[in-house]
Amino acid sequence: MPEAKIAPNLPDWMLQHVHRYLSSGGTEGHMYTVTPEGYPEMTVPALLLTTKGRKSGEKYLFPLFYGRTGDSYIIVASKGGAPEHPGWYRNILADPMVEVQVGTEHLQARARTATGEERARLWQEALKFWPPYADYEKKTEREIPVVVLDPVR
């Protein structure tokens, strides 16, 4: 299986985060400390998501904040409240099989978009690990997808 490329056009802070995560084998970078505008400093859990590019077919790696629900992980396709969905989300709509690294653990997962009551509940969980999602929601007309990564064993 070909090695994943770091997603193109990531901001510098994300690139540095990914490099630290990868170079340490996941012992560093799985918790990210940041001070978002208008918020106090916070430490947020981070994973690495690898998707298959919907156009290129190549594997791309994205650093994302996450939460847990049961044995699964939750991630949010916010793109900072941009009007369009992030590329990684469009990739998983085309192919929901993904690779995930959480700390030193590597796993295969199937991504799915939460809907209805599950989405409402998981959105509230996401606001706990990354409160700025509430600001992103106000900036955009789209419903920001909450994605569940169910491990494939």
Side-chain angles (χ1 to χ4, degrees):
M1 194 174 272
E3 189 167 316
K5 296 179 180 180
I6 296 173
N9 305 317
L10 291 180
D12 285 344
W13 72 269
M14 285 181 134
L15 287 173
Q16 292 169 9
H17 178 205
V18 170
H19 287 298
R20 192 169 83 240
Y21 210 122
L22 292 173
S23 67
S24 71
T27 60
E28 294 179 29
H30 64 283
M31 297 300 289
Y32 190 79
T33 300
V34 61
T35 306
E37 189 174 327
Y39 291 86
E41 181 179 272
M42 56 184 81
T43 301
V44 189
L47 57 71
L48 299 179
L49 175 73
T50 301
T51 67
K52 185 171 137 186
R54 64 198 174 283
K55 295 176 187 172
S56 68
E58 295 189 56
K59 292 168 67 173
Y60 291 104
L61 189 148
F62 300 85
L64 299 168
F65 298 149
Y66 75 90
R68 296 290 307 250
T69 182
D71 290 339
S72 300
Y73 298 93
I74 60 171
I75 53 177
V76 177
S78 68
K79 198 175 181 183
E84 70 282 343
H85 294 310
W88 67 260
Y89 181 71
R90 295 190 309 264
N91 288 348
I92 65 164
L93 292 177
D95 183 352
M97 295 307 297
V98 297
E99 297 171 29
V100 181
Q101 181 177 349
V102 181
T104 58
E105 180 186 9
H106 294 261
L107 61 127
Q108 303 288 316
R110 180 180 309 279
R112 62 182 176 81
T113 305
T115 59
E117 181 280 325
E118 181 188 37
R119 186 210 176 266
R121 178 176 53 81
L122 295 178
W123 179 257
Q124 293 306 311
E125 291 301 311
L127 291 174
K128 291 176 185 174
F129 66 80
W130 188 246
Y133 287 143
D135 298 330
Y136 304 165
E137 185 177 41
K138 292 174 190 167
K139 286 172 45 177
T140 187
E141 293 183 14
R142 67 184 171 95
E143 179 176 79
I144 295 175
V146 177
V147 176
V148 180
L149 303 173
D150 294 316
V152 175
R153 306 208 188 282

